[in-house]
Amino acid sequence: PTAAAGKSTRGGRITPGEWERRTGLQLRFIYKRRGPSLLVAEGRLNSKGRAVASQSKSGRGLTTVPIFLLLPQVKLRKRLDLARDAERAIDAVPGRIVAGWVETRS
C-alpha cells in the first residue's frame, strides 16, 4: 500500500478489499512491463494525502491515484527439516548396532 491508501482499522497494512469497502471506490489494475504493476483509483487526494471519492459533479480535481504497488512473490515450501532427519537417524541407530554386532560375531 502507498501513503494514499492509509492504515487498516486493525493498525497494520490495509488490503485492497478492505480499502474498497471503506472508500466505496473501485480499484483498477494497470499492468507495467517493467517494475511493479499498480492498483489505482479515480478520485482526489484529501488534505492528509489519502485518496477519497470526489464530490464534484464536473470532475474537477479528479486524478488517478496509485493505491497499491503489486510485487511478484512466491511462497517456497520448507526443504530442510533437521528435526525430521535427526529423528530418522536416531530410530536407525539400534538396528545398526545390532547389525554390526552380528557381523563381528560370525
Side-chain angles (χ1 to χ4, degrees):
T2 61
K7 295 280 186 195
S8 173
T9 54
R10 288 172 255 139
R13 290 181 176 170
I14 191 168
T15 64
E18 183 182 356
W19 189 88
E20 284 183 335
R21 278 192 304 277
R22 281 179 51 192
T23 61
L25 294 174
Q26 194 75 18
L27 289 172
R28 188 167 45 100
F29 176 75
I30 296 181
Y31 173 75
K32 291 176 68 179
R33 188 178 298 254
R34 294 198 190 278
S37 296
L38 303 169
L39 285 177
V40 299
E42 298 293 328
R44 65 175 182 83
L45 292 176
N46 67 6
S47 60
K48 294 181 181 177
R50 303 236 171 79
V52 293
S54 178
Q55 300 294 323
S56 173
K57 301 288 185 207
S58 65
R60 192 176 124 261
L62 275 182
T63 58
T64 301
V65 183
I67 306 297
F68 291 94
L69 301 176
L70 303 176
L71 302 174
Q73 295 180 353
V74 295
K75 208 158 207 169
L76 298 176
R77 67 178 183 86
K78 192 173 179 182
R79 290 186 171 182
L80 182 63
D81 189 0
L82 293 177
R84 180 195 63 211
D85 296 339
E87 195 68 37
R88 285 183 185 166
I90 289 170
D91 292 342
V93 169
R96 288 184 179 179
I97 292 173
V98 171
W101 183 57
V102 171
E103 285 179 15
T104 57
R105 291 196 56 146
S106 3

